[in-house]
Amino acid sequence: MNKILIVYHSQSGVVERMAYAVKEGIEKIGNFEVVLKKAEQANQDDLKTASGIAIGTPDYFDYMAGTVKDFFDRTFYPVQSRIAGSLTANMLCVFFVSGGTGGQPAMESLKKISMAFKFKVIDYVVCGPHLSEEILERCVELGRKLAETVKNKQ
Ligand SMILES: Cc1cc2nc3c(=O)[nH]c(=O)nc-3n(C[C@H](O)[C@H](O)[C@H](O)COP(=O)(O)O)c2cc1C
Protein backbone atom coordinates (compact mmCIF):
# COMPACT_ATOMS: atom_id res chain seq x y z
CA MET A 1 0.00 0.00 0.00
CA ASN A 2 1.31 3.45 -0.85
CA LYS A 3 2.27 5.67 2.03
CA ILE A 4 1.78 9.39 2.55
CA LEU A 5 3.80 11.05 5.28
CA ILE A 6 2.49 14.01 7.28
CA VAL A 7 5.23 15.77 9.26
CA TYR A 8 4.42 18.75 11.44
CA HIS A 9 5.24 20.86 14.47
CA SER A 10 2.70 22.51 16.75
CA GLN A 11 2.77 23.97 20.25
CA SER A 12 -0.66 25.47 20.77
CA GLY A 13 -2.57 23.15 18.46
CA VAL A 14 -3.44 25.11 15.32
CA VAL A 15 -1.06 23.28 12.99
CA GLU A 16 -1.89 19.98 14.68
CA ARG A 17 -5.57 20.41 13.84
CA MET A 18 -4.59 21.30 10.28
CA ALA A 19 -2.48 18.10 10.14
CA TYR A 20 -5.45 15.94 11.17
CA ALA A 21 -7.64 17.68 8.59
CA VAL A 22 -5.05 16.90 5.89
CA LYS A 23 -5.08 13.27 7.08
CA GLU A 24 -8.86 13.21 6.80
CA GLY A 25 -8.60 14.42 3.21
CA ILE A 26 -6.06 11.74 2.28
CA GLU A 27 -8.27 9.08 3.81
CA LYS A 28 -11.18 10.23 1.66
CA ILE A 29 -9.31 8.92 -1.37
CA GLY A 30 -8.56 5.64 0.38
CA ASN A 31 -5.97 2.93 -0.23
CA PHE A 32 -3.17 4.89 1.43
CA GLU A 33 -1.28 4.25 4.62
CA VAL A 34 -1.14 7.65 6.33
CA VAL A 35 1.81 8.15 8.66
CA LEU A 36 1.32 11.26 10.79
CA LYS A 37 4.30 12.26 12.90
CA LYS A 38 5.59 15.19 14.86
CA ALA A 39 8.76 16.34 13.14
CA GLU A 40 11.08 15.24 15.94
CA GLN A 41 9.72 11.69 15.66
CA ALA A 42 10.02 11.42 11.88
CA ASN A 43 13.14 10.00 10.27
CA GLN A 44 14.81 9.17 6.98
CA ASP A 45 12.97 5.84 6.63
CA ASP A 46 9.62 7.60 6.85
CA LEU A 47 10.75 9.83 4.02
CA LYS A 48 12.34 7.14 1.85
CA THR A 49 9.25 4.96 1.90
CA ALA A 50 6.70 7.70 1.20
CA SER A 51 5.01 8.39 -2.12
CA GLY A 52 3.92 11.85 -1.02
CA ILE A 53 4.52 14.25 1.84
CA ALA A 54 2.58 16.96 3.68
CA ILE A 55 4.63 19.32 5.84
CA GLY A 56 3.12 21.61 8.47
CA THR A 57 4.68 24.29 10.63
CA PRO A 58 3.91 27.44 12.59
CA ASP A 59 5.83 30.53 11.59
CA TYR A 60 8.57 31.09 14.16
CA PHE A 61 10.60 34.27 13.68
CA ASP A 62 9.74 34.35 9.97
CA TYR A 63 10.93 30.80 9.46
CA MET A 64 9.74 27.20 9.88
CA ALA A 65 9.84 25.68 13.38
CA GLY A 66 13.22 24.35 14.52
CA THR A 67 12.01 20.74 14.71
CA VAL A 68 10.89 20.87 11.07
CA LYS A 69 14.24 22.32 10.00
CA ASP A 70 15.95 19.62 12.08
CA PHE A 71 13.91 16.96 10.24
CA PHE A 72 15.26 18.31 6.94
CA ASP A 73 18.80 18.55 8.35
CA ARG A 74 18.75 14.95 9.59
CA THR A 75 17.30 13.45 6.44
CA PHE A 76 18.99 15.35 3.61
CA TYR A 77 22.15 13.28 3.20
CA PRO A 78 20.39 9.94 3.75
CA VAL A 79 18.07 10.66 0.79
CA GLN A 80 20.93 11.40 -1.61
CA SER A 81 22.12 8.48 -3.73
CA ARG A 82 25.39 8.66 -5.63
CA ILE A 83 23.82 6.72 -8.48
CA ALA A 84 20.17 7.75 -8.45
CA GLY A 85 20.60 11.33 -7.18
CA SER A 86 17.93 12.69 -4.87
CA LEU A 87 15.63 9.87 -3.78
CA THR A 88 12.93 12.46 -3.07
CA ALA A 89 13.08 14.06 -6.54
CA ASN A 90 9.54 14.76 -7.78
CA MET A 91 7.97 13.49 -4.56
CA LEU A 92 4.57 15.16 -4.46
CA CYS A 93 4.35 17.64 -1.61
CA VAL A 94 1.95 20.05 0.08
CA PHE A 95 2.46 22.54 2.93
CA PHE A 96 0.23 23.88 5.68
CA VAL A 97 1.37 26.84 7.78
CA SER A 98 -0.02 29.02 10.55
CA GLY A 99 1.41 32.33 11.73
CA GLY A 100 0.39 35.22 13.95
CA THR A 101 0.54 37.49 10.92
CA GLY A 102 -0.36 34.88 8.30
CA GLY A 103 2.62 32.54 8.03
CA GLN A 104 3.89 33.60 4.60
CA PRO A 105 7.60 33.84 5.62
CA ALA A 106 7.59 30.29 7.02
CA MET A 107 5.90 29.17 3.82
CA GLU A 108 8.68 30.74 1.78
CA SER A 109 11.29 28.95 3.93
CA LEU A 110 9.56 25.62 3.23
CA LYS A 111 9.48 26.34 -0.49
CA LYS A 112 13.18 27.13 -0.51
CA ILE A 113 14.29 24.04 1.39
CA SER A 114 12.02 21.86 -0.75
CA MET A 115 14.05 22.87 -3.78
CA ALA A 116 17.06 21.07 -2.26
CA PHE A 117 14.98 17.92 -1.75
CA LYS A 118 13.49 18.40 -5.24
CA PHE A 119 9.95 17.92 -3.95
CA LYS A 120 7.19 18.72 -6.41
CA VAL A 121 5.07 21.20 -4.47
CA ILE A 122 1.50 21.10 -5.72
CA ASP A 123 -0.39 23.27 -3.23
CA TYR A 124 -0.45 24.79 0.24
CA VAL A 125 -2.68 26.39 2.89
CA VAL A 126 -1.58 29.33 5.04
CA CYS A 127 -3.61 30.78 7.90
CA GLY A 128 -3.45 33.17 10.83
CA PRO A 129 -3.36 32.08 14.50
CA HIS A 130 -7.08 31.25 14.64
CA LEU A 131 -8.63 28.34 12.86
CA SER A 132 -11.92 28.56 11.03
CA GLU A 133 -14.08 25.84 9.53
CA GLU A 134 -13.16 27.22 6.14
CA ILE A 135 -9.43 26.72 6.78
CA LEU A 136 -9.98 23.20 8.05
CA GLU A 137 -12.03 22.42 4.96
CA ARG A 138 -9.19 23.73 2.81
CA CYS A 139 -6.80 21.41 4.67
CA VAL A 140 -9.10 18.45 4.03
CA GLU A 141 -9.13 19.44 0.37
CA LEU A 142 -5.32 19.77 0.43
CA GLY A 143 -4.98 16.19 1.68
CA ARG A 144 -7.50 14.93 -0.84
CA LYS A 145 -5.65 16.68 -3.68
CA LEU A 146 -2.29 15.26 -2.58
CA ALA A 147 -3.64 11.70 -2.42
CA GLU A 148 -5.44 12.00 -5.73
CA THR A 149 -2.33 13.38 -7.46
CA VAL A 150 -0.17 10.59 -6.03
CA LYS A 151 -2.75 8.03 -7.17
CA ASN A 152 -2.91 9.47 -10.70
CA LYS A 153 0.89 9.45 -10.96
CA GLN A 154 1.06 5.68 -10.53
C1 LIG B 1 8.63 31.33 19.46
C2 LIG B 1 7.55 31.85 18.59
C3 LIG B 1 7.84 32.68 17.52
C4 LIG B 1 6.84 33.16 16.67
N1 LIG B 1 7.19 33.95 15.62
C5 LIG B 1 6.23 34.34 14.75
C6 LIG B 1 6.58 35.12 13.60
O1 LIG B 1 7.72 35.48 13.37
N2 LIG B 1 5.60 35.47 12.75
C7 LIG B 1 4.28 35.11 12.96
O2 LIG B 1 3.42 35.42 12.11
N3 LIG B 1 3.92 34.36 14.04
C8 LIG B 1 4.86 33.96 14.94
N4 LIG B 1 4.50 33.22 16.04
C9 LIG B 1 3.09 32.86 16.23
C10 LIG B 1 2.78 31.42 15.74
O3 LIG B 1 3.25 31.18 14.44
C11 LIG B 1 1.25 31.20 15.73
O4 LIG B 1 0.74 31.44 17.03
C12 LIG B 1 0.84 29.82 15.27
O5 LIG B 1 -0.55 29.84 15.02
C13 LIG B 1 1.17 28.74 16.28
O6 LIG B 1 0.82 27.47 15.76
P1 LIG B 1 0.50 26.26 16.75
O7 LIG B 1 -0.83 26.57 17.43
O8 LIG B 1 0.36 25.05 15.85
O9 LIG B 1 1.60 26.12 17.72
C14 LIG B 1 5.50 32.76 16.90
C15 LIG B 1 5.20 31.94 18.00
C16 LIG B 1 6.20 31.47 18.82
C17 LIG B 1 5.88 30.55 19.97
Side-chain angles (χ1 to χ4, degrees), residues 8-17 57-63 98-105 127-130:
Y8 73 98
H9 178 85
S10 182
Q11 281 196 78
S12 50
V14 173
V15 177
E16 186 158 69
R17 287 183 65 198
T57 185
D59 188 314
Y60 285 170
F61 311 115
D62 289 346
Y63 201 74
S98 167
T101 55
Q104 199 61 41
C127 78
H130 305 295

